[in-house]
Amino acid sequence: MNTSASFQGSWSPFEFFNFDFTIPVSEKVPSLEDQSSDFPQPTQDADLLRQLSFIPGLKEILMLRQVHALEHATVWVLSESKSVYPATEQATNVQLDNELLGGLSTDRGFYLYGEVNISDLRRAIALARHRITSGEWDLAVHPRCGTNLSVAMLLTAGLAVGVHLLLPFRPIEQLIGLGLAATTAAELAPDLGSIAQRYLTTAIPFNLAIENITRTRDVWGREAHFVKVGWQE
């Protein structure tokens, strides 16, 4: 389904990362008359691309962020459908994660690793796209994303260097400081990684159209399904 490409006067490029995952899903989707720039707008990436089309690689960056979110949402949906946990009568807000599934995003689509029936994958992608663009924006964030690992490594390195410079250059103090730095980084990394995903490495896939799904191998020779996408206004 094509979304409207009309320019909204209240929108600006500085609202590029402006969406909030802390609001309950039931409260995230306002009525059309109550919608404001506090929520992700279906046209915000398309508007940004039109305004800044002179920037090389901008479209690829925008597509990569949207593909990344769709990849995460698809893994969540497949994990729900393939859950090893028995169904209960009581509703739960806990998201189930199937660790046998994984993904890798590119600006042309994403690889989905794991044993998945292609029909199930096709349905999961359609459902994931519908849910994430309808307000379930928390589906864009995944705890096993490589963003979290990158944040953890950068945070550990930064804290280690800071401790090294601040503490006396004696072995015992340096070892204690390194341990504290590693512990602190381990505690902070999950939350900071989620923030990085929400505001930097993912975006709601309003402009993605699924073109085809093929069984293939990635550049390392690993078998996977590749979900090819295209840009739509």
Side-chain angles (χ1 to χ4, degrees), residues 12 27 32 60 75 95 163 179 181 198-199:
S12 78
E27 301 177 13
L32 291 177
E60 287 72 19
V75 171
Q95 290 177 308
V163 165
R198 291 168 180 171
Y199 297 104

Side-chain angles (χ1 to χ4, degrees), residues 189-210:
D191 290 336
L192 293 179
S194 294
I195 292 172
Q197 289 184 60
R198 291 168 180 171
Y199 297 104
L200 294 175
T201 64
T202 67
I204 307 305
F206 290 118
N207 302 106
L208 296 186
I210 309 302

Side-chain angles (χ1 to χ4, degrees), residues 7-13 15 35-38 41:
F7 177 74
Q8 300 177 7
S10 62
W11 183 90
S12 78
E15 294 174 6
Q35 254 186 359
S36 70
S37 59
D38 292 335
Q41 301 299 311

